[in-house]
Amino acid sequence: MRRGTNSLEVKKLNRNRVFRYVNSRSETSMPDISAALDISGPTVLTIVKELKSAGVVEEVGELQSTGGRKAKAIATVKDARYAVGMDVTENHVGFAYTDLSMKVLKHERIRKPFYNEEQYYQEIGQLLKEFIDRNQIPGERMEGVGIALPGIVDRQNNILTDSHVFAIHGARRGMWTDYIPYPCELLNDANAAAITEDLRGGRPESNMAYLSLSNSVGGAVIFADEMKSNTGTQVSNDDITMYMGNNWRSGEFGHMVIHPEGKTCYCGKKGCLDAYCSALNLSRREDGSLKMFFEKMESGNEDYRRIWERYLKDLAIAVDNLRMCLDCEVILGGYVGNYMEPYLGRLQDMAAAKNIFGGSGEYVRICKYREESSAYGAALYQIENYISKI
């Protein structure tokens, strides 16, 4: 019995490996798959037949011959499955969708101030339907909807347990899903954004801490394959291993104290990173426009230059703390992360000066994906769930 169970597990693992290999290429062949994955030719043939029957792989012609018989070209059916991500913020709802290519196919943001009433949840359900209709996404091929939210999400029970932004505590899951006719998964917005760093280029090469610098400061911790932990709660499949902590509160970097007895944070503590590095510290000086803050600073506003220099100093403390605790890359995302590129060298120098182990500050880098990253990551999460079951 044990041998049979192990055999089934190996078969499932090989089928998944084959699909992922094919999906990572525009086209390939069975000999290439066999050589790359060290799986016998007959086994690859059987697996490819199964994947073709499932409608997720197809023959797309023949590859160029290097001598001898031409090999049949195989590719995944990218539009066999779709997923939509929705990022719900205090003032907007963002949408993005993807298919098995795992590339963002379209994204958009709609102004929609949050209010905690039944009508609001009906309205965002309608906005989602309109987004799906506009992009002609076939309902029968929808894997599901990922919903990114600003707050603590208990992934085990799929509920939003607490959100300062929305002033919600112990929210009923159905509030978000009652008006959406597809399977839904709730995710913390920073966790969702971190997924785009993990999956867009394949599996992560190293561990990383994602620091989201939006109107609140949050983050996520993602392990590389070889560093997967057996302790603490995790959200994990073949390509995502996100450490969530014992109470689903990992990554609340905004509440690290960087200045004891400093500014009062909304949480009630003094000196939290959020009180110093929230995007609001910059945008509120220009009526909520972060773009205008940076434009005026670059045009010679010395007050804004000093404010920004102080911001970078506080941020350097935070990234150094993360480096000391986790010994990994620190990725900057969120609203401020989108503007960070011209100033990254300065921040890296500040971080390097604090590093007791020496070395440069190149472990700090900017997020790869900067538009609707939380919505995109939420969609990727759903697609990855589907792929992990193939």
Side-chain angles (χ1 to χ4, degrees):
M1 180 66 71
R2 184 177 179 81
R3 180 181 297 175
T5 301
N6 286 340
S7 175
L8 287 173
E9 288 173 355
V10 169
K11 184 178 179 181
K12 181 180 178 182
L13 175 63
N14 283 338
R15 185 166 58 243
N16 199 260
R17 290 175 65 212
V18 168
F19 178 82
R20 288 183 187 277
Y21 182 84
V22 178
N23 199 41
S24 68
R25 287 154 175 76
S26 57
E27 59 182 38
T28 188
S29 68
M30 283 189 275
D32 286 346
I33 297 168
S34 179
L37 301 182
D38 194 23
I39 301 175
S40 71
T43 300
V44 170
L45 176 62
T46 299
I47 291 173
V48 169
K49 284 182 178 178
E50 291 173 353
L51 294 175
K52 285 168 66 177
S53 295
V56 293
V57 160
E58 62 183 350
E59 290 181 6
V60 291
E62 295 179 333
L63 295 177
Q64 248 185 339
S65 175
T66 56
R69 187 177 178 181
K70 291 182 179 180
K72 292 186 183 298
I74 299 165
T76 48
V77 183
K78 303 297 186 185
D79 63 355
R81 231 41 184 178
Y82 293 93
V84 176
M86 181 166 66
D87 178 28
V88 185
T89 75
E90 186 177 13
N91 292 305
H92 298 86
V93 179
F95 296 99
Y97 84 100
T98 188
D99 58 11
L100 293 180
S101 72
M102 303 183 86
K103 297 176 181 176
V104 63
L105 301 177
K106 183 70 180 291
H107 64 78
E108 64 181 67
R109 171 163 283 221
I110 299 168
R111 182 165 178 79
K112 183 68 182 172
F114 175 81
Y115 60 99
N116 189 16
E117 294 181 15
E118 193 78 9
Q119 184 176 345
Y120 173 84
Y121 302 105
Q122 291 178 4
E123 289 169 354
I124 61 171
Q126 180 61 30
L127 289 175
L128 173 66
K129 179 182 182 303
E130 291 168 3
F131 177 80
I132 290 171
D133 290 346
R134 270 195 304 279
N135 290 285
Q136 300 180 331
I137 304 171
E140 69 276 10
R141 285 186 250 167
M142 271 283 291
E143 178 62 18
V145 178
I147 305 174
L149 300 168
I152 296 171
V153 175
D154 180 340
R155 291 287 305 109
Q156 194 168 24
N157 297 303
N158 207 19
I159 58 174
L160 178 68
T161 62
D162 186 79
S163 173
H164 163 76
V165 174
F166 293 158
I168 288 177
H169 308 282
R172 183 177 65 86
R173 177 181 179 275
M175 289 164 51
W176 309 100
T177 62
D178 282 349
Y179 300 100
I180 298 175
Y182 305 105
C184 294
E185 294 282 347
L186 307 186
L187 296 92
N188 168 268
D189 54 357
N191 290 348
I195 290 171
T196 67
E197 300 298 307
D198 190 4
L199 288 184
R200 289 181 75 229
R203 297 178 181 178
E205 295 179 358
S206 64
N207 307 314
M208 74 174 190
Y210 184 93
L211 181 58
S212 177
L213 303 167
S214 290
N215 288 348
S216 59
V217 177
V221 179
I222 289 182
F223 296 125
D225 281 357
E226 67 272 16
M227 294 299 292
K228 289 181 180 180
S229 168
N230 292 318
T231 61
T233 306
Q234 299 175 18
V235 172
S236 178
N237 52 38
D238 271 5
D239 271 348
I240 305 172
T241 303
M242 187 175 295
Y243 178 74
M244 301 304 297
N246 293 336
N247 300 290
W248 300 91
R249 296 172 193 153
S250 174
E252 287 295 319
F253 303 141
H255 300 292
M256 292 189 296
V257 173
I258 61 168
H259 293 297
E261 301 308 314
K263 293 181 186 177
T264 301
C265 178
Y266 68 79
C267 73
K269 293 197 305 184
K270 291 183 181 292
C272 289
L273 176 63
D274 198 292
Y276 292 88
C277 288
S278 158
L280 294 172
N281 284 285
L282 308 176
S283 62
R284 69 187 179 196
R285 300 169 193 281
E286 285 297 330
D287 231 6
S289 174
L290 200 57
K291 180 182 179 182
M292 189 62 68
F293 173 89
F294 282 100
E295 285 181 356
K296 287 193 174 181
M297 181 182 73
E298 289 300 330
S299 296
N301 187 313
E302 288 304 316
D303 284 342
Y304 283 11
R305 179 69 64 181
R306 283 190 290 271
I307 289 166
W308 178 240
E309 184 70 7
R310 179 70 257 175
Y311 183 100
L312 288 177
K313 288 179 180 178
D314 290 330
L315 184 56
I317 294 172
V319 298
D320 181 62
N321 286 345
L322 292 174
R323 180 70 166 185
M324 291 300 103
C325 290
L326 300 169
D327 188 27
C328 65
E329 286 190 330
V330 178
I331 315 301
L332 305 178
Y335 301 157
V336 178
N338 293 343
Y339 291 90
M340 187 64 73
E341 191 165 0
Y343 318 103
L344 181 60
R346 173 70 175 138
L347 178 63
Q348 288 175 334
D349 289 343
M350 289 177 169
K354 295 179 180 299
N355 192 341
I356 61 173
F357 301 112
S360 71
E362 290 182 359
Y363 68 86
V364 187
R365 63 176 177 85
I366 302 168
C367 60
K368 298 172 187 173
Y369 193 79
R370 303 174 193 175
E371 294 182 279
E372 297 306 328
S373 57
S374 292
Y376 179 24
L380 281 176
Y381 187 87
Q382 289 286 55
I383 284 294
E384 173 55 31
N385 274 346
Y386 175 76
I387 290 175
S388 69
K389 297 169 187 171
I390 290 177

